[in-house]
Amino acid sequence: MERRAFFKLVGAGAVVAAGGGLAACSSGAVPSPLAPAASEEEGPRVFENPDVSFSSDVDVLVVGSGIAGLSAAMAPLEAGRSVMIAEKLELLGGESYSSTGVMHVSGSALQKQAGIETTAEQAWDTRRQEFADAGITDLDFAKRLFVTAPEWVDHLVDEYGAQFENPGDHVKAGASDRILLPKRGLGDMESIMTPLRDGLSSKGAAFVTGLRASAFVVDASGAVCGMRLRDAKTDAATDVRAHAVVMATGGFASSQPLVHANVPAQERIGCYTTASMGEGQLLCAHLGGQLGDMGKAAPLTSDLPEAAAWGLFGPVLIVDALGRRFAREDDLNAAADACVADDRGYWWTLFGKKLSSGAQARSIAQVTTKNAKRLAGPFDDVEALAGGLGIAPEALKAVFDGYGEAVDAGKDDAFGRTAFLQEIEPPYYALKQFPVRYKTRGGVRTDADGRLLNAAGSAIANVYACGSVAAGSVEGLATNGAFGLIVGRAVSKALDEGDAGE
């Protein structure tokens, strides 16, 4: 029986399990300010029952199995360390698995092989402006993530066999050369995450699912030495000893109380996610971790996220219930943001033959089949399309005429669209969508290596954070994956230094 260890439960009640995921495979810091004094005679104090009894002992415990968490496990496993990855849902992958798969990357080997020579450094100025426009303030760290992203992609391909679409194919069709997609296009995260899961398993990773983190375990000195996990169904406790804990639990978009407290303007907006409950932020804050940017407005998207990305890969038009064009179509967030800002309620994405038979035909077929009641069409002309949507024909015709003028001029003065400024050919279709929250920007403060920082700006021993749980996660899959890569390497280095100092 282990000597009892001090810990405290952070209330992070049960959560609703999300859909899709991967089946699991076997296979100068300061201590926390939380710990009270404890004498050797009485041993560490316990603030909850049952007493701590470690059932597993690993070098690294990663909490969360999204792309950031799995990426954080790579370096320790490759260095021969023992790693456990804990996921509160029944399947691995978190919300990364059900994402669009759009990755903003420049300079990867895949892109170079396709004849795309732009490096991350060369693309940074453009990406920097996009980050700044999105409200990202730590642009130095954002740049570090962006320039690490191609290295992360190369490592996924070379070491784990992750499969990506040939970027030359969609660039040739007119898409941005700063985008990578999974092998089968939009929504196909299986091509990335299944090989990664299997590769980590072959290197010895232990996966546990259906267990949510409920408390850090700290020893008598106040240093984190593990974590208590609780069964999502039975609430039974499992204690894991770990030399390092990596929090990769995601944001808090699904937590109505946290959204109400931090981003009240968005609390009446629906949420696409179900599992981003903010447990990681709360656990880290209780440990003494500093939170930052919690009040920043989160980007919004369509409740059919893949459809929000169609404008990146083919010509579409976005119109409101009255048939008015109101946002640029080659931006994942523009329609949802503008829809909420102007109380439009919902919007239609209009598309035709070029999109439905183009490179993302698989995505279009899957999304429209699953959401057949939201799909209108096919229609042979604009007047019939307007009738099918209950829009005045003259209003919709004016939109098509204005868009046609932009296509002819090669410039969209009204909204600034640049990708696929092309004619939309019949037959016409329309897909109805609603704005939703899908991520948050606030989270725990970390240093450049992902170590959790306290209010004084000092690192809390043995605890790291990466991905959307962290305030510095910026935007997207690739930067979260790069964040995980950086943290995994930092953890490996710290463990090596610890071994050398013993």
Side-chain angles (χ1 to χ4, degrees):
M1 180 77 175
E2 287 284 343
R3 283 179 63 84
R4 294 180 300 164
F6 171 86
F7 65 91
K8 183 174 176 64
L9 177 66
V10 175
V15 294
V16 179
L22 304 175
C25 292
S26 301
S27 75
V30 298
S32 161
L34 232 176
S39 69
E40 276 298 315
E41 289 73 22
E42 68 177 6
R45 294 167 57 194
V46 178
F47 274 31
E48 123 180 294
N49 289 316
D51 293 346
V52 170
S53 180
F54 291 112
S55 60
S56 301
D57 192 331
V58 296
D59 292 317
V60 184
L61 172 65
V62 178
V63 184
S65 68
I67 198 67
L70 295 184
S71 298
M74 295 191 300
L77 285 165
E78 291 160 17
R81 298 288 180 176
S82 57
V83 177
M84 176 182 288
I85 300 166
E87 169 59 52
K88 69 181 178 182
L89 302 180
E90 292 298 324
L91 294 172
L92 299 176
E95 286 165 356
S96 298
Y97 190 78
S98 57
S99 69
T100 64
V102 174
M103 302 177 209
H104 294 274
V105 179
S106 292
S108 70
L110 288 170
Q111 289 160 310
K112 293 175 183 175
Q113 291 164 10
I116 303 167
E117 298 296 334
T118 306
T119 66
E121 287 286 348
Q122 291 169 337
W124 170 244
D125 284 345
T126 300
R127 194 61 175 150
R128 181 188 185 282
Q129 188 58 53
E130 292 170 351
F131 284 148
D133 291 344
I136 304 302
T137 54
D138 189 352
L139 293 174
D140 288 339
F141 189 63
K143 181 178 182 179
R144 186 180 183 199
L145 295 179
F146 184 67
V147 299
T148 303
E151 183 181 359
W152 169 74
V153 169
D154 293 346
H155 198 67
L156 288 182
V157 173
D158 297 340
E159 185 69 24
Y160 296 92
Q163 295 183 303
F164 290 83
E165 180 183 87
N166 181 351
D169 292 342
H170 61 247
V171 170
K172 188 181 298 182
S176 170
D177 64 4
R178 295 187 293 114
I179 290 177
L180 286 178
L181 285 176
K183 177 68 175 178
R184 294 180 293 174
L186 287 167
D188 176 36
M189 285 303 289
E190 183 177 356
S191 293
I192 308 297
M193 299 187 76
T194 297
L196 179 55
R197 175 206 63 185
D198 293 345
L200 295 175
S201 180
S202 71
K203 296 179 190 300
F207 293 93
V208 292
T209 57
L211 294 179
R212 59 181 175 83
S214 69
F216 285 102
V217 178
V218 299
D219 62 22
S221 72
V224 170
C225 61
M227 178 151 276
R228 168 158 290 184
L229 307 172
R230 285 195 173 273
D231 189 289
K233 294 180 179 177
T234 67
D235 206 40
T238 297
D239 298 325
V240 178
R241 184 198 296 276
H243 296 291
V245 176
V246 177
M247 300 300 291
T249 53
F252 61 89
S254 311
S255 170
Q256 199 68 7
L258 286 177
V259 171
H260 171 76
N262 294 285
V263 200
Q266 296 186 330
E267 66 178 314
R268 295 186 181 276
I269 303 169
C271 187
Y272 173 70
T273 63
T274 59
S276 295
M277 297 298 292
E279 298 109 323
Q281 286 89 344
L282 294 176
L283 283 166
C284 289
H286 190 75
L287 190 66
Q290 181 184 4
L291 299 181
D293 297 337
M294 296 289 282
K296 279 193 173 180
L300 308 176
T301 193
S302 164
D303 63 332
L304 305 176
E306 285 183 44
W310 289 349
L312 299 172
F313 302 99
V316 303
L317 273 171
I318 289 172
V319 299
D320 65 12
L322 298 177
R324 299 171 298 193
R325 186 179 179 218
F326 65 96
R328 65 182 295 171
E329 294 84 2
D330 57 348
D331 184 306
L332 289 167
N333 312 118
D337 288 341
C339 187
V340 169
D342 298 327
D343 294 321
R344 296 175 187 270
Y346 66 89
W347 74 90
W348 295 98
T349 294
L350 314 180
F351 62 96
K353 181 178 179 181
K354 283 185 179 179
L355 185 74
S356 61
S357 62
Q360 301 309 315
R362 172 181 172 273
S363 172
I364 282 78
Q366 287 186 335
V367 172
T368 54
T369 298
K370 289 179 181 177
N371 301 278
K373 291 183 178 180
R374 300 236 209 133
L375 182 70
F379 301 102
D380 292 330
D381 54 50
V382 174
E383 288 75 13
L385 173 61
L389 303 184
I391 293 172
E394 59 272 17
L396 199 58
K397 187 175 186 305
V399 167
F400 271 79
D401 288 346
Y403 179 73
E405 291 173 3
V407 171
D408 292 340
K411 185 179 181 182
D412 180 19
D413 290 327
F415 296 98
R417 176 175 186 153
T418 57
F420 290 96
L421 190 60
Q422 301 170 0
E423 180 184 359
I424 299 175
E425 300 175 347
Y428 300 120
Y429 296 85
L431 185 69
K432 192 176 189 178
Q433 294 159 80
F434 298 87
V436 292
R437 305 188 308 255
Y438 76 105
K439 76 183 297 290
T440 44
R441 286 206 171 99
V444 300
R445 294 287 191 193
T446 68
D447 67 9
D449 290 327
R451 297 188 300 172
L452 181 64
L453 298 179
N454 64 15
S458 299
I460 295 176
N462 309 331
V463 184
Y464 299 76
C466 59
S468 295
V469 72
S473 66
V474 296
E475 308 284 314
L477 288 166
T479 48
N480 277 352
F483 204 162
L485 179 65
I486 289 168
V487 165
R489 289 173 173 173
V491 169
S492 293
K493 181 180 178 182
L495 293 174
D496 290 345
E497 289 173 349
D499 289 347
E502 290 180 354

mmCIF file of all heavy atoms in Angstrom, residues 50-87:
data_model
loop_
_atom_site.group_PDB
_atom_site.id
_atom_site.type_symbol
_atom_site.label_atom_id
_atom_site.label_comp_id
_atom_site.label_asym_id
_atom_site.label_seq_id
_atom_site.Cartn_x
_atom_site.Cartn_y
_atom_site.Cartn_z
ATOM 1 N N PRO A 50 -11.277 7.663 -1.772
ATOM 2 C CA PRO A 50 -10.396 6.890 -0.905
ATOM 3 C C PRO A 50 -8.976 7.440 -0.886
ATOM 4 O O PRO A 50 -8.640 8.308 -1.689
ATOM 5 C CB PRO A 50 -10.422 5.508 -1.555
ATOM 6 C CG PRO A 50 -10.627 5.798 -3.005
ATOM 7 C CD PRO A 50 -11.542 6.995 -3.045
ATOM 8 N N ASP A 51 -8.165 6.910 0.040
ATOM 9 C CA ASP A 51 -6.766 7.301 0.095
ATOM 10 C C ASP A 51 -6.066 6.963 -1.211
ATOM 11 O O ASP A 51 -6.478 6.067 -1.947
ATOM 12 C CB ASP A 51 -6.055 6.582 1.240
ATOM 13 C CG ASP A 51 -6.548 7.034 2.604
ATOM 14 O OD1 ASP A 51 -7.234 8.068 2.662
ATOM 15 O OD2 ASP A 51 -6.257 6.341 3.591
ATOM 16 N N VAL A 52 -4.987 7.686 -1.469
ATOM 17 C CA VAL A 52 -4.237 7.436 -2.699
ATOM 18 C C VAL A 52 -3.568 6.065 -2.656
ATOM 19 O O VAL A 52 -2.930 5.696 -1.683
ATOM 20 C CB VAL A 52 -3.175 8.527 -2.905
ATOM 21 C CG1 VAL A 52 -2.222 8.148 -4.040
ATOM 22 C CG2 VAL A 52 -3.842 9.855 -3.202
ATOM 23 N N SER A 53 -3.734 5.324 -3.725
ATOM 24 C CA SER A 53 -3.074 4.027 -3.874
ATOM 25 C C SER A 53 -2.746 3.873 -5.352
ATOM 26 O O SER A 53 -3.630 3.608 -6.175
ATOM 27 C CB SER A 53 -3.996 2.899 -3.419
ATOM 28 O OG SER A 53 -3.368 1.643 -3.565
ATOM 29 N N PHE A 54 -1.489 4.063 -5.697
ATOM 30 C CA PHE A 54 -1.100 4.062 -7.108
ATOM 31 C C PHE A 54 -1.229 2.674 -7.710
ATOM 32 O O PHE A 54 -0.665 1.707 -7.217
ATOM 33 C CB PHE A 54 0.333 4.555 -7.266
ATOM 34 C CG PHE A 54 0.506 6.010 -6.950
ATOM 35 C CD1 PHE A 54 1.230 6.401 -5.849
ATOM 36 C CD2 PHE A 54 -0.064 6.992 -7.754
ATOM 37 C CE1 PHE A 54 1.395 7.741 -5.536
ATOM 38 C CE2 PHE A 54 0.098 8.331 -7.466
ATOM 39 C CZ PHE A 54 0.820 8.708 -6.346
ATOM 40 N N SER A 55 -1.961 2.592 -8.819
ATOM 41 C CA SER A 55 -2.096 1.329 -9.546
ATOM 42 C C SER A 55 -1.177 1.265 -10.751
ATOM 43 O O SER A 55 -0.981 0.202 -11.330
ATOM 44 C CB SER A 55 -3.550 1.148 -10.001
ATOM 45 O OG SER A 55 -3.944 2.212 -10.849
ATOM 46 N N SER A 56 -0.630 2.413 -11.156
ATOM 47 C CA SER A 56 0.291 2.472 -12.290
ATOM 48 C C SER A 56 1.405 3.456 -11.973
ATOM 49 O O SER A 56 1.204 4.415 -11.227
ATOM 50 C CB SER A 56 -0.428 2.914 -13.570
ATOM 51 O OG SER A 56 -1.473 2.034 -13.906
ATOM 52 N N ASP A 57 2.558 3.209 -12.549
ATOM 53 C CA ASP A 57 3.725 4.078 -12.351
ATOM 54 C C ASP A 57 4.372 4.289 -13.711
ATOM 55 O O ASP A 57 4.864 3.337 -14.323
ATOM 56 C CB ASP A 57 4.704 3.413 -11.380
ATOM 57 C CG ASP A 57 5.788 4.368 -10.893
ATOM 58 O OD1 ASP A 57 6.131 5.295 -11.642
ATOM 59 O OD2 ASP A 57 6.294 4.175 -9.781
ATOM 60 N N VAL A 58 4.330 5.528 -14.211
ATOM 61 C CA VAL A 58 4.869 5.818 -15.538
ATOM 62 C C VAL A 58 5.758 7.048 -15.476
ATOM 63 O O VAL A 58 5.708 7.829 -14.533
ATOM 64 C CB VAL A 58 3.746 6.040 -16.571
ATOM 65 C CG1 VAL A 58 2.932 4.787 -16.775
ATOM 66 C CG2 VAL A 58 2.845 7.205 -16.155
ATOM 67 N N ASP A 59 6.570 7.195 -16.490
ATOM 68 C CA ASP A 59 7.375 8.411 -16.593
ATOM 69 C C ASP A 59 6.504 9.610 -16.929
ATOM 70 O O ASP A 59 6.680 10.695 -16.364
ATOM 71 C CB ASP A 59 8.458 8.245 -17.662
ATOM 72 C CG ASP A 59 9.518 7.231 -17.287
ATOM 73 O OD1 ASP A 59 9.955 7.235 -16.124
ATOM 74 O OD2 ASP A 59 9.902 6.427 -18.158
ATOM 75 N N VAL A 60 5.586 9.409 -17.876
ATOM 76 C CA VAL A 60 4.770 10.532 -18.370
ATOM 77 C C VAL A 60 3.313 10.115 -18.447
ATOM 78 O O VAL A 60 2.982 9.073 -19.024
ATOM 79 C CB VAL A 60 5.233 10.994 -19.770
ATOM 80 C CG1 VAL A 60 4.449 12.212 -20.223
ATOM 81 C CG2 VAL A 60 6.730 11.277 -19.796
ATOM 82 N N LEU A 61 2.445 10.931 -17.882
ATOM 83 C CA LEU A 61 0.999 10.765 -18.034
ATOM 84 C C LEU A 61 0.493 11.911 -18.901
ATOM 85 O O LEU A 61 0.663 13.081 -18.553
ATOM 86 C CB LEU A 61 0.293 10.785 -16.680
ATOM 87 C CG LEU A 61 -1.243 10.800 -16.742
ATOM 88 C CD1 LEU A 61 -1.775 9.512 -17.354
ATOM 89 C CD2 LEU A 61 -1.835 11.040 -15.358
ATOM 90 N N VAL A 62 -0.115 11.579 -20.026
ATOM 91 C CA VAL A 62 -0.725 12.584 -20.909
ATOM 92 C C VAL A 62 -2.228 12.507 -20.718
ATOM 93 O O VAL A 62 -2.831 11.437 -20.880
ATOM 94 C CB VAL A 62 -0.372 12.325 -22.386
ATOM 95 C CG1 VAL A 62 -1.056 13.354 -23.280
ATOM 96 C CG2 VAL A 62 1.138 12.361 -22.596
ATOM 97 N N VAL A 63 -2.842 13.615 -20.353
ATOM 98 C CA VAL A 63 -4.287 13.664 -20.126
ATOM 99 C C VAL A 63 -4.939 14.320 -21.337
ATOM 100 O O VAL A 63 -4.791 15.516 -21.572
ATOM 101 C CB VAL A 63 -4.615 14.444 -18.838
ATOM 102 C CG1 VAL A 63 -6.117 14.403 -18.582
ATOM 103 C CG2 VAL A 63 -3.858 13.866 -17.651
ATOM 104 N N GLY A 64 -5.635 13.502 -22.124
ATOM 105 C CA GLY A 64 -6.254 13.986 -23.358
ATOM 106 C C GLY A 64 -5.616 13.333 -24.563
ATOM 107 O O GLY A 64 -4.384 13.299 -24.678
ATOM 108 N N SER A 65 -6.442 12.817 -25.482
ATOM 109 C CA SER A 65 -5.904 12.063 -26.621
ATOM 110 C C SER A 65 -6.187 12.718 -27.955
ATOM 111 O O SER A 65 -6.227 12.052 -28.990
ATOM 112 C CB SER A 65 -6.483 10.638 -26.623
ATOM 113 O OG SER A 65 -7.875 10.663 -26.922
ATOM 114 N N GLY A 66 -6.399 14.041 -27.948
ATOM 115 C CA GLY A 66 -6.506 14.760 -29.210
ATOM 116 C C GLY A 66 -5.142 14.869 -29.872
ATOM 117 O O GLY A 66 -4.161 14.271 -29.429
ATOM 118 N N ILE A 67 -5.059 15.660 -30.921
ATOM 119 C CA ILE A 67 -3.812 15.726 -31.683
ATOM 120 C C ILE A 67 -2.673 16.292 -30.847
ATOM 121 O O ILE A 67 -1.520 15.867 -30.994
ATOM 122 C CB ILE A 67 -4.015 16.539 -32.983
ATOM 123 C CG1 ILE A 67 -2.902 16.241 -33.980
ATOM 124 C CG2 ILE A 67 -4.143 18.022 -32.706
ATOM 125 C CD1 ILE A 67 -2.913 14.840 -34.527
ATOM 126 N N ALA A 68 -2.947 17.204 -29.920
ATOM 127 C CA ALA A 68 -1.895 17.755 -29.068
ATOM 128 C C ALA A 68 -1.375 16.687 -28.108
ATOM 129 O O ALA A 68 -0.165 16.524 -27.931
ATOM 130 C CB ALA A 68 -2.402 18.966 -28.299
ATOM 131 N N GLY A 69 -2.290 15.959 -27.469
ATOM 132 C CA GLY A 69 -1.881 14.944 -26.511
ATOM 133 C C GLY A 69 -1.100 13.812 -27.150
ATOM 134 O O GLY A 69 -0.053 13.390 -26.639
ATOM 135 N N LEU A 70 -1.588 13.297 -28.281
ATOM 136 C CA LEU A 70 -0.869 12.221 -28.960
ATOM 137 C C LEU A 70 0.503 12.691 -29.439
ATOM 138 O O LEU A 70 1.483 11.945 -29.378
ATOM 139 C CB LEU A 70 -1.688 11.696 -30.141
ATOM 140 C CG LEU A 70 -3.022 11.015 -29.807
ATOM 141 C CD1 LEU A 70 -3.656 10.461 -31.072
ATOM 142 C CD2 LEU A 70 -2.849 9.912 -28.776
ATOM 143 N N SER A 71 0.572 13.933 -29.890
ATOM 144 C CA SER A 71 1.855 14.461 -30.351
ATOM 145 C C SER A 71 2.830 14.642 -29.192
ATOM 146 O O SER A 71 4.039 14.459 -29.351
ATOM 147 C CB SER A 71 1.639 15.793 -31.086
ATOM 148 O OG SER A 71 0.842 15.618 -32.241
ATOM 149 N N ALA A 72 2.314 14.990 -28.010
ATOM 150 C CA ALA A 72 3.177 15.147 -26.842
ATOM 151 C C ALA A 72 3.762 13.824 -26.385
ATOM 152 O O ALA A 72 4.807 13.791 -25.722
ATOM 153 C CB ALA A 72 2.389 15.786 -25.698
ATOM 154 N N ALA A 73 3.101 12.733 -26.740
ATOM 155 C CA ALA A 73 3.596 11.410 -26.334
ATOM 156 C C ALA A 73 4.735 10.915 -27.214
ATOM 157 O O ALA A 73 5.454 9.983 -26.829
ATOM 158 C CB ALA A 73 2.443 10.403 -26.365
ATOM 159 N N MET A 74 4.932 11.516 -28.371
ATOM 160 C CA MET A 74 5.899 10.973 -29.329
ATOM 161 C C MET A 74 7.327 10.968 -28.789
ATOM 162 O O MET A 74 7.984 9.913 -28.730
ATOM 163 C CB MET A 74 5.830 11.763 -30.643
ATOM 164 C CG MET A 74 4.522 11.623 -31.382
ATOM 165 S SD MET A 74 4.539 12.304 -33.086
ATOM 166 C CE MET A 74 4.923 14.027 -32.796
ATOM 167 N N ALA A 75 7.839 12.126 -28.422
ATOM 168 C CA ALA A 75 9.251 12.222 -28.026
ATOM 169 C C ALA A 75 9.586 11.362 -26.811
ATOM 170 O O ALA A 75 10.615 10.661 -26.814
ATOM 171 C CB ALA A 75 9.631 13.689 -27.788
ATOM 172 N N PRO A 76 8.768 11.364 -25.740
ATOM 173 C CA PRO A 76 9.101 10.493 -24.605
ATOM 174 C C PRO A 76 9.144 9.020 -24.981
ATOM 175 O O PRO A 76 10.045 8.287 -24.545
ATOM 176 C CB PRO A 76 7.984 10.792 -23.597
ATOM 177 C CG PRO A 76 7.522 12.157 -23.931
ATOM 178 C CD PRO A 76 7.619 12.242 -25.429
ATOM 179 N N LEU A 77 8.190 8.567 -25.782
ATOM 180 C CA LEU A 77 8.192 7.167 -26.198
ATOM 181 C C LEU A 77 9.404 6.842 -27.059
ATOM 182 O O LEU A 77 10.021 5.781 -26.913
ATOM 183 C CB LEU A 77 6.904 6.842 -26.954
ATOM 184 C CG LEU A 77 5.652 6.690 -26.090
ATOM 185 C CD1 LEU A 77 4.406 6.730 -26.961
ATOM 186 C CD2 LEU A 77 5.700 5.385 -25.292
ATOM 187 N N GLU A 78 9.738 7.764 -27.953
ATOM 188 C CA GLU A 78 10.895 7.538 -28.813
ATOM 189 C C GLU A 78 12.196 7.526 -28.019
ATOM 190 O O GLU A 78 13.197 6.955 -28.465
ATOM 191 C CB GLU A 78 10.938 8.607 -29.907
ATOM 192 C CG GLU A 78 9.799 8.467 -30.916
ATOM 193 C CD GLU A 78 9.527 9.741 -31.707
ATOM 194 O OE1 GLU A 78 10.412 10.630 -31.720
ATOM 195 O OE2 GLU A 78 8.435 9.861 -32.290
ATOM 196 N N ALA A 79 12.177 8.133 -26.838
ATOM 197 C CA ALA A 79 13.350 8.130 -25.961
ATOM 198 C C ALA A 79 13.347 6.943 -25.004
ATOM 199 O O ALA A 79 14.218 6.853 -24.133
ATOM 200 C CB ALA A 79 13.403 9.432 -25.170
ATOM 201 N N GLY A 80 12.372 6.056 -25.168
ATOM 202 C CA GLY A 80 12.325 4.864 -24.325
ATOM 203 C C GLY A 80 11.611 5.063 -23.002
ATOM 204 O O GLY A 80 11.700 4.203 -22.113
ATOM 205 N N ARG A 81 10.885 6.158 -22.840
ATOM 206 C CA ARG A 81 10.161 6.415 -21.605
ATOM 207 C C ARG A 81 8.808 5.693 -21.618
ATOM 208 O O ARG A 81 8.233 5.425 -22.665
ATOM 209 C CB ARG A 81 9.928 7.916 -21.432
ATOM 210 C CG ARG A 81 11.201 8.733 -21.321
ATOM 211 C CD ARG A 81 11.884 8.496 -19.990
ATOM 212 N NE ARG A 81 13.119 9.286 -19.859
ATOM 213 C CZ ARG A 81 13.854 9.303 -18.759
ATOM 214 N NH1 ARG A 81 13.485 8.589 -17.705
ATOM 215 N NH2 ARG A 81 14.967 10.028 -18.716
ATOM 216 N N SER A 82 8.302 5.412 -20.407
ATOM 217 C CA SER A 82 6.972 4.826 -20.289
ATOM 218 C C SER A 82 5.943 5.953 -20.289
ATOM 219 O O SER A 82 6.101 6.957 -19.598
ATOM 220 C CB SER A 82 6.856 3.999 -19.013
ATOM 221 O OG SER A 82 7.147 4.772 -17.865
ATOM 222 N N VAL A 83 4.888 5.783 -21.089
ATOM 223 C CA VAL A 83 3.886 6.823 -21.266
ATOM 224 C C VAL A 83 2.488 6.218 -21.190
ATOM 225 O O VAL A 83 2.213 5.192 -21.813
ATOM 226 C CB VAL A 83 4.051 7.543 -22.624
ATOM 227 C CG1 VAL A 83 2.954 8.586 -22.819
ATOM 228 C CG2 VAL A 83 5.421 8.188 -22.735
ATOM 229 N N MET A 84 1.620 6.868 -20.427
ATOM 230 C CA MET A 84 0.202 6.520 -20.412
ATOM 231 C C MET A 84 -0.585 7.707 -20.953
ATOM 232 O O MET A 84 -0.317 8.854 -20.596
ATOM 233 C CB MET A 84 -0.281 6.197 -18.993
ATOM 234 C CG MET A 84 -1.788 5.918 -18.909
ATOM 235 S SD MET A 84 -2.372 5.588 -17.216
ATOM 236 C CE MET A 84 -1.672 3.955 -16.974
ATOM 237 N N ILE A 85 -1.558 7.416 -21.812
ATOM 238 C CA ILE A 85 -2.436 8.439 -22.373
ATOM 239 C C ILE A 85 -3.842 8.150 -21.868
ATOM 240 O O ILE A 85 -4.400 7.083 -22.146
ATOM 241 C CB ILE A 85 -2.385 8.437 -23.906
ATOM 242 C CG1 ILE A 85 -0.954 8.707 -24.385
ATOM 243 C CG2 ILE A 85 -3.348 9.470 -24.481
ATOM 244 C CD1 ILE A 85 -0.722 8.413 -25.838
ATOM 245 N N ALA A 86 -4.408 9.091 -21.111
ATOM 246 C CA ALA A 86 -5.727 8.911 -20.512
ATOM 247 C C ALA A 86 -6.743 9.782 -21.234
ATOM 248 O O ALA A 86 -6.511 10.969 -21.463
ATOM 249 C CB ALA A 86 -5.687 9.272 -19.030
ATOM 250 N N GLU A 87 -7.869 9.200 -21.577
ATOM 251 C CA GLU A 87 -8.932 9.900 -22.293
ATOM 252 C C GLU A 87 -10.256 9.696 -21.549
ATOM 253 O O GLU A 87 -10.604 8.568 -21.189
ATOM 254 C CB GLU A 87 -9.039 9.362 -23.721
ATOM 255 C CG GLU A 87 -10.255 9.809 -24.502
ATOM 256 C CD GLU A 87 -10.354 11.321 -24.637
ATOM 257 O OE1 GLU A 87 -9.365 11.948 -25.077
ATOM 258 O OE2 GLU A 87 -11.418 11.866 -24.292
#
